Amino acid sequence: MSLLSGARPTSTADGAWPEDFGRALRAEWTKLRTAGETGRLLLLSLALTVAVGCGAAKAVKCPDAGCGLDAVKLALTGVTVGQAVIAVLAVLTVSGEYGTGMIRTTLMAVPNRIAVLAAKATILTAVVLVSGTAAVLTSLLAGRYMLPGNGFTEAHGYAPLTLADGPTLRAAVGSVFYLVLIALLGLGVATAVRDAASAVGIVLGLLYLFPVVMRVVSDPEWQRHLQQISPITAGLAIQSTVHLHDLPIGPWAGLGVLAMWAAVALLVGSLLLRRRDA
């Protein structure tokens, strides 16, 4: 009755959190595993990430005089496209249930709403970690074999891409974390607004409108500040392996900015989830 009346739900017994979370975790894994769009979206994200990375590696040439480009970042260009699909998947994890009304069944089965949200975040993190790792490693492998043919050779100052290189490993691991944080950002926004179209619009707007605004702003100082708070610009600083002193924000600090965006979205989403009707 409390769920339908809007009263704040509570756990049925002290110490029930592990039990609620475990039940919610099993339920969320079943829902995500059996949902037809989950596998398709993960495969689409992987395919787009790798395809765009390969396209960039094939299109960009490095002349004999050198080009000063970041070969690792170039190979991982596809992350900027694949992230959109990950964001949509994250949004559907919540808004899909609101659209069908199944969220009421979910919250009746597990009244602890924070346990439900935590379970969704855990399962989403796990699947994006797997798919993101596959996409990033495949992109780097493709870049390792394609870039030398376009002049990115040791003679021009470019060693073959390898995870044994510290900056490359950091860029690879950071790119996977970046995709996970994009998913959590989408989950938080979707939990807050509930509507799929609105949530997708907000997340993609946060990701892709910031760079547009930066181009409109003429003041270099303001441009730098916008780059430092932009989820995509700050977050993708983690991929940079050369000219780090020219970045508006450091690689790990930039990823931390994206983590703050995701944390705020999840916090707002959890507060609204606790306070309103399903």
Side-chain angles (χ1 to χ4, degrees):
M1 182 167 60
S2 64
L3 292 176
L4 299 178
S5 64
R8 176 176 168 179
T10 57
S11 188
T12 54
D14 290 338
W17 164 265
E19 202 175 304
D20 286 344
F21 178 70
R23 222 168 37 242
L25 201 62
R26 290 190 294 272
E28 293 304 323
W29 169 241
T30 300
K31 283 186 283 187
L32 200 65
R33 179 169 50 85
T34 56
E37 68 271 11
T38 301
R40 289 192 292 269
L41 288 173
L42 288 173
L43 285 174
L44 178 60
S45 174
L46 191 155
L48 284 174
T49 301
V50 175
V52 173
C54 288
K58 188 69 175 175
V60 177
K61 310 282 186 185
C62 189
D64 293 343
C67 53
L69 295 177
D70 191 331
V72 176
K73 194 174 183 68
L74 186 62
L76 295 174
T77 301
V79 171
T80 60
V81 179
Q83 67 177 346
V85 184
I86 294 296
V88 171
L89 171 64
V91 166
L92 292 179
T93 301
V94 174
S95 60
E97 286 195 74
Y98 277 106
T100 60
M102 282 298 295
I103 190 67
R104 291 186 177 87
T105 303
T106 296
L107 297 179
M108 287 177 67
V110 184
N112 190 323
R113 298 186 175 199
I114 302 305
V116 171
L117 182 59
K120 287 182 181 294
T122 301
I123 295 299
L124 186 63
T125 295
V127 297
V128 174
L129 273 174
V130 173
S131 66
T133 299
V136 167
L137 291 181
T138 305
S139 296
L140 287 175
L141 183 62
R144 177 182 174 88
Y145 289 102
M146 294 177 69
L147 287 171
N150 283 0
F152 291 86
T153 61
E154 292 191 65
H156 297 159
Y158 291 97
L161 300 185
T162 172
L163 293 180
D165 175 60
T168 303
L169 179 61
R170 185 251 299 150
V173 173
S175 293
V176 177
F177 287 163
Y178 175 88
L179 290 172
V180 169
L181 291 171
I182 291 297
L184 294 178
L185 174 63
L187 181 67
V189 171
T191 305
V193 303
R194 298 190 283 192
D195 178 68
S198 300
V200 169
I202 291 171
V203 177
L204 296 186
L206 285 172
L207 293 178
Y208 297 115
L209 284 183
F210 261 102
V212 175
V213 174
M214 289 174 212
R215 291 188 177 91
V216 175
V217 175
S218 57
D219 186 279
E221 194 63 26
W222 274 103
Q223 281 186 345
R224 186 176 181 84
H225 289 321
L226 287 172
Q227 289 174 329
Q228 290 170 337
I229 65 171
S230 163
I232 184 171
T233 307
L236 286 178
I238 195 67
Q239 293 183 343
S240 299
T241 61
V242 298
H243 309 308
L244 298 185
H245 58 280
D246 293 331
L247 296 175
I249 190 169
W252 288 113
L255 198 65
V257 169
L258 177 57
M260 289 181 62
W261 279 95
V264 170
L266 286 171
L267 177 60
V268 173
S270 64
L271 290 175
L272 292 175
L273 182 65
R274 286 171 62 100
R275 291 179 176 274
R276 66 191 175 195
D277 293 342

